[in-house]
Amino acid sequence: MRRRAIGQVLLLAAGLVVLTVISAGSVYLVNQSREDARWVLHTVEVENQISLTQLQLRRAESAQSSYISTLLPDFLTDFENAASQLTPDLMQLRRLTSDNPVQGRVIDEIIQLSTQRIEEFRKTIALAREEHADDAARIVREGTGREAMSHIDDLANQMRAEEDRLFALRTASADRSQSLAASMTGVGSGLVVLLAGISIFLVRRSTRARDAAEEQLRDNNLNLEATVDARTADLREANDEIQRFAYIVSHDLRSPLVNIMGFTSELEELRGDIFKRIATLGRATAGAGGEIEPALEGEDKQLSEDFTEALGFIKSSIAKMDRLITAILNLTREGRREFEPVRIETRELIESIVSTMAHQASEAQAEIRIAPLPDLISDRLALEQIFSNLIDNALKYLKPGVPGDISIRGRTKLGFAIFEIADNGRGIDPKDHQRIFDLFRRAGEQDRPGQGIGLAHVRALVRRLGGTMSVSSELHSGSTFTITLPLAWTASNRNRDT
Amino acid sequence: MSKPVTIIMIEDDEGHARLIERNIRRSGINNDIMPFTNGTAAVNYLFGSDGTGGEHKGTALLILLDLNLPDMTGTDILRRVKENKYLKCAPVVVLTTTDDSQEIKRCYELGCNVYITKPVNYESFANAIRQLGLFFSVIQVPRSAT
C-alpha cells in the first residue's frame, strides 16, 4: 500500500517534470523562432536595401546621361537627388550588414566604386555644363564607367547571393525550430498522456484492491459476528448449565441437611432423656428421692456439657450451611428471573432505598447525599438490589467513631450511565479488590454479619444488565464503587435465554 | 360415622419419612400411615391395578407428598390425583424442601390443599408438622363420592 502511494507520487512528479520541460522548451523554441524570423526579415531588408542602392545608382546614371544629352536643369536636380540619396542608402546597407564581415568587405568595395562613379558623373556633368558635351560624351563612351557599373552589379549580385544563402540557412533554421517545437510538444503531450494513463491504471488497480479488501473486511466482520454469536450461545448454554447445576445441587443438598438437623434435634431430646435418667439413677443410688428436678454432678455434668457443646457446633454449622445453600438457591433463582426493562427515575429509586435505610443511617450517624442522577431504561428490581446492596455495604462498613458520609453521583457517557457510590468508611485493601466480588468471600475485619454474597450478587446483576462494575479503595480511606450501565437496556442484548 | 383417615406418605427420603412420622405421632395423631418411598409404588397403590382408583371409592385418604421423587415428579402425582374422580376429594399436603414461589403457585393451581416447606430448622419443621397434625384432626375429611 505504501509502495503504491510512493509510486503515485513519483508518477505525479514525473508528469510535472515533463510538463515543465515542455513549457520551458516551448518558450525557448518560440524565442528561437522569433529570432530566426527576425533574421529572415533582416535578410529581406538587406536585399531590399541592395536593390534600393542599385536603383539610386541607376537613377543617378540615367539622370547624368539625360542631362548630358539635353542639358535640362531638371535632370541635374534628379541627379543631385539620386546622388544625395545614394550615400545614406549605402550607409544603411553597411549598417545592416555590419554583423557579416564578408558582406562588410563587399559593401566597402561597392561604396568605393559608387563614390568613384558619382565623382565621374559629377565630372561629366560639370563638363557638360561648361559646354564640353563632347568630352563628357567621350568619357561616357570610353566605358570605364560601364565597367565599374557592371562590377558594382556583380558585387551587388554577390551580396544578394550571400544574403540568399543566409536566407535559406535562416529559413531552414526557423523551420527546424518550429518543427522541433512541434515535435517537442507532441512528444511531451504523448508522455503526459502516457503518465496519465499509467496513473489511471494504478488508481483503478488500487481501487480494485481496496474494494477487494473491503469485501474481505465485510466477510471477516460477518464471520466474526457469527463466531461471537456462536460463542455467546455456548457461554449462555454453559451459564444455564451452571445455573441448573447450582440449583439441583443446592436443592439436593438441602434434603440430607433436613435429616441432619432433624435427627440432631432428636438427639438433643434423647440427650435430655438420657441425662435425666442418669441423674435420677444417681439420686436413687444416693438414696434421696423426691419431686425436685434431678441435677447432675461431677463427671456426669462434664459429660452433659460436652454433649451440649458438640450438639451446638453441629447445629450452628448446619445453620450456616443452610444459609449458604439458601443463598445459592436465591442467586440461581435470581439468575433465572426474566428482566423487564422499564423507564426508571434513578434518583427517586435511590431516595426510596435510602428512606428504608434511614434508621440504619441514623444509627451509624451517616449522611447520604444523592446528586442528580441520569435516568435509564432497565430492570427496576435488579437496580434496587444493586443500589441497596451497595448502600447497605457502605453503611455497614463505616469507620467506627467517624460520622459516615456516603455520596451517590452519576453521569452519562457514550450511551452509558456511570454511577459512583462513595463512602468514607474503612476501605478495602487493594489486594482484596478482586476477592470481594467472589461468592462467599469477604475481606477485612470480620465484625459484621454477612455471607459474602452481596457484591457477587450485585456484580452478576450488573453483568446481566450489560454493564460493568469496579471498585477503587485504600484501607482506612473509604471506597468508591463504580457501576456502568447501558442507558437503554433491551431484553435482546443479553436476556435471550428464556 | 366416617372411617378413620389413612395417611399416605409419599417420601423417598427415609429420614424425612421417619421425622415426619415421629412428629405426627408426637402431636397425637394415631391414624394409619402408609409410607411409600417412590412414586411408582404410590401410584400403583392409589390408582389400583386397573388404574382408575376405584379401589379407594369411599375410603378416606390424606396424601403427604414430596415433590422430589426419584422416578417421577410429585406434581405429576398431584395432577393425576386431582384429575381422578375418586381421589380428587382426598386432601393433598405437599411437603418439600423447595420454597420456590413459582413451584408453590403451580402446586396450588393443580389443587394441592396445603403446601409446607420443609425447613431445616428443626423447631420450625417440627412445629409445621405438628400444625399439620392439628390440621388433620380439625379437618373432617369428606367421604369420597359414594
Side-chain angles (χ1 to χ4, degrees):
Chain A
M1 221 57 201
R2 190 160 181 78
R3 259 185 52 208
R4 195 169 293 149
I6 289 173
Q8 293 276 15
V9 168
L10 282 181
L11 212 60
L12 280 177
L16 198 67
V17 166
V18 167
L19 273 178
T20 314
V21 167
I22 290 172
S23 307
S26 297
V27 168
Y28 170 76
L29 286 172
V30 163
N31 278 337
Q32 188 72 31
S33 332
R34 196 183 292 152
E35 188 75 357
D36 286 340
R38 211 161 57 76
W39 279 111
V40 168
L41 190 71
H42 178 75
T43 310
V44 172
E45 247 178 336
V46 169
E47 286 195 355
N48 188 37
Q49 197 64 36
I50 292 168
S51 305
L52 211 62
T53 316
Q54 273 183 301
L55 181 69
Q56 295 297 355
L57 209 55
R58 291 283 176 202
R59 257 180 74 197
E61 193 181 15
S62 82
Q64 172 239 12
S65 45
S66 304
Y67 182 71
I68 292 169
S69 359
T70 61
L71 286 179
L72 276 173
D74 280 355
F75 290 113
L76 193 63
T77 322
D78 273 356
F79 172 75
E80 284 306 329
N81 260 344
S84 67
Q85 272 294 304
L86 185 64
T87 318
D89 279 350
L90 278 169
M91 286 302 119
Q92 173 75 6
L93 188 59
R94 183 176 195 171
R95 203 175 48 74
L96 282 174
T97 56
S98 60
D99 59 306
N100 193 331
V102 180
Q103 296 288 64
R105 270 199 306 279
V106 176
I107 200 88
D108 281 347
E109 207 171 334
I110 289 178
I111 290 171
Q112 199 192 341
L113 286 169
S114 305
T115 319
Q116 275 175 18
R117 280 297 285 168
I118 295 294
E119 284 308 308
E120 204 183 296
F121 291 159
R122 284 189 199 290
K123 212 155 78 186
T124 53
I125 287 170
L127 284 171
R129 198 186 293 155
E130 287 155 27
E131 307 297 322
H132 298 301
D134 292 349
D135 286 348
R138 185 179 47 83
I139 289 170
V140 173
R141 261 199 311 277
E142 263 172 12
T144 52
R146 190 163 300 282
E147 238 171 73
M149 205 63 187
S150 75
H151 190 59
I152 288 174
D153 282 351
D154 281 353
L155 286 172
N157 282 340
Q158 199 182 322
M159 271 187 85
R160 215 173 258 126
E162 171 69 13
E163 286 303 321
D164 278 349
R165 190 182 63 79
L166 284 174
F167 180 78
L169 219 62
R170 282 162 186 169
T171 313
S173 155
D175 277 355
R176 211 171 43 244
S177 297
Q178 299 244 351
S179 62
L180 203 62
S183 58
M184 187 156 190
T185 310
V187 168
S189 308
L191 259 175
V192 167
V193 166
L194 184 71
L195 289 175
I198 293 173
S199 195
I200 286 171
F201 170 73
L202 285 179
V203 165
R204 288 192 61 172
R205 200 175 62 177
S206 69
T207 306
R208 265 203 303 279
R210 198 196 54 215
D211 286 352
E214 268 175 15
E215 185 98 347
Q216 181 81 34
L217 199 66
R218 250 197 316 277
D219 284 358
N220 284 353
N221 274 344
L222 281 178
N223 279 343
L224 200 65
E225 264 171 41
T227 314
V228 167
D229 279 353
R231 295 275 153 80
T232 313
D234 287 352
L235 278 178
R236 192 168 290 133
E237 215 164 280
N239 191 42
D240 289 353
E241 188 77 16
I242 290 173
Q243 296 262 356
R244 274 197 299 278
F245 173 76
Y247 186 78
I248 290 169
V249 164
S250 50
H251 204 266
D252 286 359
L253 281 177
R254 276 196 94 152
S255 241
L257 207 60
V258 167
N259 279 335
I260 296 169
M261 193 71 185
F263 285 103
T264 308
S265 291
E266 292 286 323
L267 272 181
E268 213 172 9
E269 286 206 3
L270 283 178
R271 181 205 77 101
D273 291 350
I274 289 167
F275 284 102
K276 206 181 278 173
R277 186 172 290 185
I278 289 174
T280 328
L281 283 175
R283 191 61 52 89
T285 47
E291 295 296 302
I292 348 146
E293 184 72 4
L296 290 166
E297 275 164 15
E299 262 181 57
D300 290 342
K301 190 176 181 183
Q302 182 64 37
L303 261 176
S304 162
E305 276 167 8
D306 286 354
F307 213 119
T308 311
E309 190 190 42
L311 281 176
F313 275 119
I314 292 173
K315 285 175 87 173
S316 70
S317 297
I318 292 167
K320 186 170 184 192
M321 192 159 173
D322 181 46
R323 281 199 301 275
L324 295 184
I325 290 172
T326 309
I328 297 176
L329 267 175
N330 285 339
L331 272 181
T332 59
R333 202 167 287 153
E334 203 47 58
R336 285 134 67 102
R337 190 172 71 80
E338 280 292 308
F339 280 178
E340 189 191 349
V342 290
R343 167 134 225 115
I344 294 165
E345 285 179 31
T346 318
R347 200 188 152 95
E348 196 186 300
L349 177 131
I350 290 180
E351 273 168 355
S352 78
I353 293 172
V354 168
S355 70
T356 63
M357 295 183 179
H359 175 68
Q360 228 179 315
S362 72
E363 252 181 13
Q365 289 181 303
E367 191 199 354
I368 302 176
R369 290 177 293 131
I370 308 171
L373 299 170
D375 292 348
L376 17 111
I377 296 172
S378 208
D379 183 79
R380 176 171 285 275
L381 189 58
L383 273 193
E384 270 172 10
Q385 288 175 336
I386 290 169
F387 283 112
S388 62
N389 260 300
L390 289 176
I391 297 169
D392 184 52
N393 273 355
L395 285 171
K396 218 159 125 184
Y397 301 108
L398 285 170
K399 244 183 286 185
V402 179
D405 179 18
I406 297 162
S407 73
I408 297 150
R409 297 182 293 262
R411 64 201 151 93
T412 59
K413 189 178 179 187
L414 299 170
F416 282 87
I418 300 167
F419 297 101
E420 286 178 345
I421 291 100
D423 63 54
N424 61 344
R426 54 177 76 166
I428 302 154
D429 196 322
K431 73 176 163 56
D432 288 329
H433 282 185
Q434 191 52 48
R435 187 184 152 79
I436 53 169
F437 290 109
D438 291 343
L439 193 58
F440 303 140
R441 296 287 172 272
R442 305 173 75 195
E445 210 182 324
Q446 303 290 309
D447 60 344
R448 300 291 155 116
Q451 312 293 325
I453 288 165
L455 284 176
H457 184 38
V458 166
R459 188 161 74 166
L461 284 174
V462 169
R463 281 186 176 159
R464 272 193 75 196
L465 285 175
T468 55
M469 81 177 290
S470 62
V471 62
S472 73
S473 177
E474 291 286 335
L475 261 182
H476 312 306
S477 60
S479 316
T480 302
F481 284 88
T482 308
I483 300 172
T484 308
L485 289 170
L487 280 175
W489 181 81
T490 50
S492 58
N493 18 353
R494 283 242 175 149
N495 203 23
R496 280 182 281 197
D497 41 15
T498 45
Chain B
M1 278 298 288
S2 61
K3 279 205 267 176
V5 175
T6 308
I7 298 171
I8 311 282
M9 183 168 65
I10 309 169
E11 169 63 72
D12 64 311
D13 190 306
E14 287 181 32
H16 291 193
R18 188 91 185 91
L19 285 171
I20 292 167
E21 195 184 337
R22 273 197 193 194
N23 279 286
I24 289 174
R25 294 285 177 240
R26 213 168 269 160
S27 62
I29 308 255
N30 291 311
N31 299 51
D32 283 345
I33 297 179
M34 291 192 68
F36 294 93
T37 54
N38 62 68
T40 318
V43 166
N44 285 344
Y45 175 77
L46 283 172
F47 296 96
S49 49
D50 56 353
T52 57
E55 290 175 18
H56 299 289
K57 187 176 166 184
T59 56
L61 296 176
L62 185 140
I63 302 168
L64 290 179
L65 181 62
D66 182 25
L67 286 188
N68 287 296
L69 296 170
D71 49 354
M72 61 180 73
T73 69
T75 45
D76 277 347
I77 299 176
L78 175 62
R79 197 182 56 243
R80 286 187 61 186
V81 166
K82 287 298 166 186
E83 280 169 357
N84 186 287
K85 62 175 176 177
Y86 302 112
L87 296 171
K88 67 180 174 194
C89 293
V92 177
V93 176
V94 171
L95 257 171
T96 182
T97 52
T98 313
D99 58 351
D100 187 50
S101 58
Q102 292 286 325
E103 200 148 56
I104 295 174
K105 200 176 149 212
R106 186 165 154 69
C107 283
Y108 278 121
E109 275 167 8
L110 285 173
C112 104
N113 302 70
V114 182
Y115 188 103
I116 293 177
T117 310
K118 287 179 208 162
V120 176
N121 185 310
Y122 184 76
E123 270 69 40
S124 48
F125 180 51
N127 203 27
I129 297 287
R130 285 196 198 104
Q131 276 174 0
L132 194 62
L134 219 58
F135 167 81
F136 290 157
S137 53
V138 168
I139 276 198
Q140 186 68 42
V141 178
R143 198 184 289 252
S144 298
T146 43

